[in-house]
C-alpha cells in the first residue's frame, strides 16, 4: 500500500502572544520607557509578509494594506515620495528604526494574498482559529503570516482587550526537507519550522473608538475631535496603525525573548511602549502635531509607494531610549 503523502501542519501556539491593546491606545506613557533586550531570537534577514483576508474587503481596502507593506522596503529616498510630499518621511524610514534593535532586523516585502470572503471558519473566531488561518498561508521560516478580519467578524477579545495580536507557532511542514538546524542558528536561517503570525481586525463596525483612534472619537478618556484618515477609510487606516505596531513587535520580540518592558505575558514592545504617540507634543487624548493634507484635511506622518499617505505610530528607539516620532 502506497503511503499517504500528507503534509501536516502542526500548530503549537506560543504562550507569548503580544497584543495591540485598545485600552491604552490613547494613553501616553509618562514614565521613561526602557525596553530590555532579553537576548532571545529576533527576526533577521528577508521575510515575505503573506496576507489572508478573512471576510469581505474591497480591492481599494486591500490596496491600503498592500501599499503599506510594499512601502516598508521601498527605497527611502524614492522620487515618488519626495515629489508627493516634502513634509513627511517615508514609511521605509519609519521601519528603519527596527534596525537599531539589530543591524540585520528583518526586511519585509509583500508576499502573496489569499482571500476568504465566505468566512470558511465562521463569523466567530478563537485564537486557535486565527493560528489555523495563519497556517493556510503555508507559513515558513522566511515569512510572516498576517490574518486581517473584516468589520463583521467577531474574534475573542477583540475590542475588549486587544485590536490585534502577534504570536508564533511551529509547523512541521517542510521539516522533512529542511536540515535539522539548531536554534540560534547561522546568519540567514530563521529557526526550524517556527513562524511568526499577526492578526489585526478591521474595527470600523465594532469599536473604532478603541481600535481606530485617532480617526474616531475615543470610546473613553480625554476627548478631542477625530482626525481625517489619510486613506479615507477609518477601519483600514486603523488596521495600518495596528499592523505597523504588531509587525514591529513581531520582528523585535518574535518568540517572547526579544526586546520588551514589563512581564513577558503582557509585554510593552517597540510600538506598544509608545502607545498614543504619533507626532511631537503628544499627550493623553492628543496624538501630536501632524502634517495635514490641504485638499483632503487628512492627517498623516509618512509617505509610501505611489504617494500614498499613512499615519504611523511612534516607535521606541534603542539608541536614544525615546519614543521616536517621524514628525
Ligand atoms: C535581502 O534581499 C535584498 C534584495 O533582494 C538583498 O540585497 C539582500 O542581500 C538580502 N538579504 C539577505 C540577508 O538575504
Amino acid at each position: 500500500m502506497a503511503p499517504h503523502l500528507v503534509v501536516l501542519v502542526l500548530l503549537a501556539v506560543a504562550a507569548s502572544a503580544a497584543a495591540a491593546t485598545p485600552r491604552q491606545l490613547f494613553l501616553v506613557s509618562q514614565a521613561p520607557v526602557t525596553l530590555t533586550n532579553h537576548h532571545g531570537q529576533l527576526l533577521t534577514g528577508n521575510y515575505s509578509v503573506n496576507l489572508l483576508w478573512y471576510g469581505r474587503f474591497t480591492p481599494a481596502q486591500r490596496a491600503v494594506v498592500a501599499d503599506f507593506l510594499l512601502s516598508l522596503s521601498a527605497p527611502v529616498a524614492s522620487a515618488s515620495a519626495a515629489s508627493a510630499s516634502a513634509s513627511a518621511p517615508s514609511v521605509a524610514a519609519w521601519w528603519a528604526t527596527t534596525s537599531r534593535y539589530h543591524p540585520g532586523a528583518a526586511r519585509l516585502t509583500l508576499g502573496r494574498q489569499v482571500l476568504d470572503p465566505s468566512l470558511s471558519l465562521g463569523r466567530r473566531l478563537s485564537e486557535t482559529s486565527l493560528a489555523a488561518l495563519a497556517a493556510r498561508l503555508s507559513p515558513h521560516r522566511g515569512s510572516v503570516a498576517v490574518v486581517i478580519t473584516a468589520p463583521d467578524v467577531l474574534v475573542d477579545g477583540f475590542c475588549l482587550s486587544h485590536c490585534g495580536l502577534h504570536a508564533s507557532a511551529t509547523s512541521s511542514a517542510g521539516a522533512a526537507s529542511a536540515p535539522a538546524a539548531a536554534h540560534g542558528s547561522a546568519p540567514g536561517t530563521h529557526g526550524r519550522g517556527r513562524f511568526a503570525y499577526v492578526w489585526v481586525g478591521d474595527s470600523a463596525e465594532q469599536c473604532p473608538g478603541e481600535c481606530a483612534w485617532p480617526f474616531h472619537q475615543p470610546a473613553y478618556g480625554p476627548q478631542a475631535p477625530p482626525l481625517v484618515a489619510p486613506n479615507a477609510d477609518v477601519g483600514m487606516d486603523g488596521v495600518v496603525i495596528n499592523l505597523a505596531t504588531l509587525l514591529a513587535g513581531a520582528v523585535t520580540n518574535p518568540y517572547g525573548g526579544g526586546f520588551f518592558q514589563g512581564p513577558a505575558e503582557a509585554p510593552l514592545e517597540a510600538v506598544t511602549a509608545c502607545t498614543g504617540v504619533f507626532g511631537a507634543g503628544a499627550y493623553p487624548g492628543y496624538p501630536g502635531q501632524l502634517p495635514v493634507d490641504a485638499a483632503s484635511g487628512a492627517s498623516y506622518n509618512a509617505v509610501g509607494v505611489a504617494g500614498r499617505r499613512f499615519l504611523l505610530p511612534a516607535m521606541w528607539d534603542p539608541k536614544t531610549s525615546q519614543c521616536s516620532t517621524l514628525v
Side-chain angles (χ1 to χ4, degrees):
M1 183 181 156
H4 276 131
L5 295 176
V6 179
V7 179
L8 286 180
V9 177
L10 300 177
L11 291 170
V13 180
S16 61
T21 54
R23 288 183 189 281
Q24 295 166 352
L25 195 53
F26 49 80
L27 295 178
V28 177
S29 176
Q30 306 291 339
V33 176
T34 304
L35 270 56
T36 303
N37 182 2
H38 297 78
H39 300 289
Q41 205 176 2
L42 309 183
L43 299 191
T44 60
N46 287 322
Y47 279 75
S48 59
V49 179
N50 297 323
L51 293 171
L52 186 139
W53 295 96
Y54 192 75
R56 290 185 181 280
F57 294 90
T58 65
Q61 289 180 312
R62 297 199 304 270
V64 172
V65 169
D67 283 349
F68 166 67
L69 294 170
L70 285 169
S71 302
L72 287 171
S73 59
V76 168
S78 79
S80 63
S83 62
S85 172
S87 60
S90 67
V91 173
W94 176 81
W95 185 252
T97 300
T98 60
S99 65
R100 295 179 157 225
Y101 288 73
H102 185 286
R107 179 177 175 276
L108 304 183
T109 52
L110 177 63
R112 66 198 187 93
Q113 300 185 52
V114 173
L115 307 184
D116 187 348
S118 54
L119 306 177
S120 60
L121 293 186
R123 194 172 299 282
R124 181 179 284 279
L125 301 177
S126 64
E127 283 188 17
T128 310
S129 346
L130 294 174
L133 289 172
R136 288 201 192 152
L137 290 164
S138 310
H140 55 84
R141 52 194 176 155
S143 73
V144 176
V146 174
V147 176
I148 300 179
T149 51
D152 59 341
V153 175
L154 307 172
V155 179
D156 287 354
F158 185 39
C159 296
L160 299 173
S161 61
H162 50 264
C163 305
L165 59 80
H166 78 84
S168 65
T170 49
S171 163
S172 69
S177 58
H183 283 279
S185 63
T189 67
H190 303 296
R192 180 168 59 93
R194 203 170 192 192
F195 67 91
Y197 68 92
V198 170
W199 157 68
V200 184
D202 182 330
S203 65
E205 288 176 15
Q206 296 175 56
C207 59
E210 287 151 317
C211 295
W213 183 85
F215 305 127
H216 192 281
Q217 199 89 14
Y220 30 75
Q223 301 288 311
L227 306 182
V228 176
N231 296 284
D233 187 322
V234 168
M236 292 313 291
D237 278 302
V239 164
V240 168
I241 291 173
N242 290 308
L243 179 57
T245 299
L246 291 161
L247 287 174
V251 165
T252 58
N253 186 33
Y255 309 123
F259 284 84
F260 61 89
Q261 182 180 41
E265 319 79 63
L268 289 177
E269 298 180 326
V271 174
T272 52
C274 302
T275 292
V277 179
F278 294 86
Y283 54 80
Y286 174 61
Q289 293 162 29
L290 297 165
V292 174
D293 180 75
S296 65
S299 296
Y300 65 102
N301 60 8
V303 178
V305 295
R308 198 185 273 278
R309 288 159 179 194
F310 300 101
L311 183 63
L312 300 179
M315 195 187 310
W316 187 76
D317 183 336
K319 294 281 198 285
T320 63
S321 285
Q322 302 282 325
C323 286
S324 167
T325 57
L326 284 168
V327 293

